[in-house]
Amino acid sequence: MVFTDDDVHLEQPALWARRGAPPVMARPHRHDDLELNLVHSGRLEYLFGGSRLHVGAGEVALFWGGTPHQLVDPAATATDVSWIHVPLTQVLSWALPTGQVAHLLRARPVVVDAAGLVRDVAALFAAWHADVLAGRDTDVVMLEVQAFVRRTLGAEAREGREGREGREGRRASAPEELAGAAAKAAAMAQYVAEHYRRPVSPSDVARAVHLSPSYAMTLFKHVVGTTVGTYLARCRVAEAQRRLITTSCTTAEIAHAAGFSSLSSFYDQFRQICGMAPGDYRRRFR
């Protein structure tokens, strides 16, 4: 494990599985993996970006780990969870439907009832855990995880939580074309996630994936469903939310640390995304 700027840990992508009580996390971390959690008993509570995420017993959480996240207030010994991480590069090779890739890259966790996904989801996670730890049948594990991810995203859509934005951008594409576009979009999203504390221009993002700015922005909007500018603003606001909850820094200090060029820009974008002023957010959620 290495450390990034200030207090966010960066973990290297890896196929990884674990079962047990939630670890104590003194700091948020991020990793370029798809993360699946199954809560067998108890509950998980994440600070995901700047929002609280609750995952209860019998629920599955699915998200891209590129957004800083931290387990908070773990229910200690009463909580039993299975985790599996799959590198995002592997996930993109699955050629998922465009809308599903976009949903993952938007960094909004998916939480669904595990009972409606497969007959015995606990046994499935246990088999993955055993195979990954033993280093065997990883191709089979990947096929099963891919099917499970598709089921999970499909279940969320059926429950009506995907919304109009999640359905936009789907079209028939050759698997190679889709995987290539998704990989470029993911690389751009990762670039923004790593550099949002500094000035970031469309040219910077496009240069990171060796595309022209106009084509890169069009591709990103098509896959992710939002502009690079909006995605950048969400990353900065999420970091500001996290600092408002977890530190005693002033608003000006937080705005600067999150990458905003001015206090007025910070207040405008924070209100637009969160629906309230930073001070109100701190009083409500701290």
Side-chain angles (χ1 to χ4, degrees):
M1 180 184 293
V2 297
F3 298 90
T4 61
D5 1 63
D6 54 49
D7 57 351
V8 178
H9 294 249
L10 172 62
E11 296 183 355
Q12 296 304 312
L15 178 60
W16 179 86
R18 178 183 182 273
R19 178 170 180 176
V24 175
M25 294 180 63
R27 299 178 178 183
H29 73 170
R30 60 181 176 85
H31 47 83
D32 201 19
D33 302 311
L34 182 69
E35 180 170 341
L36 291 89
N37 302 160
L38 168 64
V39 180
H40 300 281
S41 62
R43 74 174 192 280
L44 288 178
E45 183 174 345
Y46 280 104
L47 187 60
F48 195 91
S51 303
R52 296 270 179 174
L53 171 68
H54 304 274
V55 189
E59 291 186 322
V60 168
L62 169 67
F63 56 86
W64 175 43
T67 297
H69 53 286
Q70 179 182 5
L71 283 168
V72 293
D73 188 29
T77 56
T79 299
D80 182 18
V81 184
S82 287
W83 285 268
I84 184 164
H85 290 195
V86 180
L88 187 64
T89 52
Q90 179 74 50
V91 175
L92 295 176
S93 74
W94 297 344
L96 297 171
T98 308
Q100 292 189 351
V101 173
H103 204 68
L104 295 175
L105 295 182
R106 282 177 192 139
R108 295 190 197 132
V110 174
V111 180
V112 299
D113 187 348
L117 299 175
V118 296
R119 179 171 297 179
D120 192 344
V121 67
L124 185 61
F125 269 76
W128 294 343
H129 181 254
D131 288 343
V132 169
L133 289 185
R136 63 173 183 258
D137 300 328
T138 53
D139 288 344
V140 173
V141 171
M142 286 300 94
L143 287 171
E144 291 176 346
V145 171
Q146 179 185 165
F148 188 83
V149 168
R150 287 175 179 265
R151 285 178 181 270
T152 302
L153 293 171
E156 197 216 22
R158 287 193 298 275
E159 290 175 15
R161 289 189 290 225
E162 183 183 38
R164 176 175 178 272
E165 187 181 25
R167 292 189 294 270
E168 289 181 351
R170 284 196 183 138
R171 62 181 177 88
S173 301
E176 297 81 5
E177 178 189 354
L178 176 57
K184 291 289 189 183
M188 286 188 276
Q190 184 67 35
Y191 180 88
V192 173
E194 291 175 355
H195 296 87
Y196 65 83
R197 292 183 179 88
R198 291 174 277 189
V200 175
S201 70
S203 295
D204 295 330
V205 177
R207 192 178 303 113
V209 291
H210 309 292
L211 297 175
S212 69
S214 60
Y215 180 69
M217 298 306 101
T218 299
L219 186 148
F220 189 91
K221 178 67 160 58
H222 171 72
V223 175
V224 183
T226 191
T227 66
V228 166
T230 299
Y231 194 86
L232 174 61
R234 288 175 179 171
C235 287
R236 287 172 172 166
V237 167
E239 174 66 5
Q241 288 174 301
R242 185 181 69 81
R243 289 174 180 269
L244 285 165
I245 293 173
T246 61
T247 76
S248 298
C249 295
T250 66
T251 302
E253 289 170 337
I254 289 172
H256 176 74
F260 289 95
S261 59
S262 67
L263 263 179
S264 60
S265 174
F266 170 52
Y267 275 94
D268 288 346
Q269 293 189 27
F270 196 97
R271 284 195 182 96
Q272 182 177 352
I273 292 173
C274 300
M276 65 183 77
D280 294 334
Y281 185 90
R282 172 174 265 171
R283 284 187 290 272
R284 178 176 299 185
F285 295 106
R286 189 164 179 180

